[in-house]
Amino acid sequence: GQQVMQIPQYQHVQEGEDFTTYCNSSTTLSNIQWYKQRPGGHPVFLIQLVKSGEVKKQKRLTFQFGEAKKNSSLHITATQTTDVGTYFCAARRGYDMRFGAGTRLTVKP
Amino acid sequence: GAVVSQHPSRVICKSGTSVKIECRSLDFQATTMFWYRQFPKQSLMLMATSNEGSKATYEQGVEKDKFLINHASLTLSTLTVTSAHPEDSSFYICSAATRTGTSVYEQYFGPGTRLTVT
């Protein structure tokens, strides 16, 4: 079946430092979605990537979809304490959708 | 943005009893609803996918007789945990999806239900 690997599992940064989480699939994907879950909260949709090599930006967040549509990354520039939470990728292949294990980001002020 | 509600937010029940969890899309009609289970500090595990008016599709390893899903309308899906046991204690989250393209789904998650079985 489809495997979705997300690394790192944890990331602790100083406020102002950059942060990146990576999502890799064993199979070619239809699309990939990214979600953020604050501690004690539920996942909130951030963005969806569909096209090969696609790059999208949301303020300090940059999302990339690999050329082969098997991997993706989320990069946060100059982290802030409000960025704290767990970031999940969700990889879709056809109708099958799998979440990565998530990367828990903590930010030290 | 789209709003999905879940009820109850927390429930404590005794072993052997059944619990029903409701998931509603409040301001849109959902073509599909998903049910997830999340263990502490872990990712979401997809349990089943349900489309309005048809039987739910369960993921491998999920007992369909134990986790009954009913998708009565485009705005309501229910998950019933039957004969609950302590190992069923978990955080259950639903999501409602809308089709935004030919094969593109945007999911909106409910706030989750914390189930504790004593």
Side-chain angles (χ1 to χ4, degrees), chain B residues 5 35 66 74 86 99-100 103-104 117:
Chain B
S5 71
W35 285 96
K66 179 166 187 62
L74 286 172
R99 191 188 293 269
T100 58
S103 62
V104 170
V117 184

Side-chain angles (χ1 to χ4, degrees), chain A residues 5 22-29 32 34 49 51 53-54 64-73:
Chain A
M5 302 293 294
Y22 301 90
C23 189
N24 297 295
S25 168
S26 57
T27 56
T28 303
L29 303 170
I32 196 159
W34 285 93
L49 305 172
K51 299 178 182 178
E54 189 169 16
Q64 290 188 309
F65 201 10
E67 293 289 341
K69 299 182 72 171
K70 287 186 176 182
N71 54 70
S72 180
S73 64

Side-chain angles (χ1 to χ4, degrees), chain A residues 47-50 54-58 61-64:
Chain A
I47 208 161
Q48 179 168 268
L49 305 172
V50 180
E54 189 169 16
V55 178
K56 287 187 177 181
K57 292 191 175 184
Q58 289 180 352
L61 277 61
T62 302
F63 304 84
Q64 290 188 309

Side-chain angles (χ1 to χ4, degrees), chain A residues 4-20:
Chain A
V4 179
M5 302 293 294
Q6 190 173 353
I7 56 172
Q9 191 174 0
Y10 302 95
Q11 186 79 57
H12 179 70
V13 300
Q14 190 77 37
E15 188 173 22
E17 292 181 339
D18 293 355
F19 159 76
T20 305

Side-chain angles (χ1 to χ4, degrees), chain A residues 31 33 35 37 41-43 45 48 50 88 92 95-101 104, chain B residues 32 36 38 41-44 46 49 51 59 93 103-107 109-111:
Chain A
N31 62 63
Q33 299 177 344
Y35 293 81
Q37 185 174 22
H42 60 279
F45 176 83
Q48 179 168 268
V50 180
F88 293 99
R92 180 177 296 284
Y95 202 69
D96 187 64
M97 187 169 186
R98 293 285 179 260
F99 277 80
R104 182 171 300 121
Chain B
T32 305
Y36 296 86
Q38 187 175 33
K41 299 183 179 181
Q42 294 190 26
S43 186
L44 294 91
L46 180 63
T49 304
N51 294 295
E59 294 298 302
I93 307 178
S103 62
V104 170
Y105 289 86
E106 189 162 321
Q107 289 191 73
F109 283 84

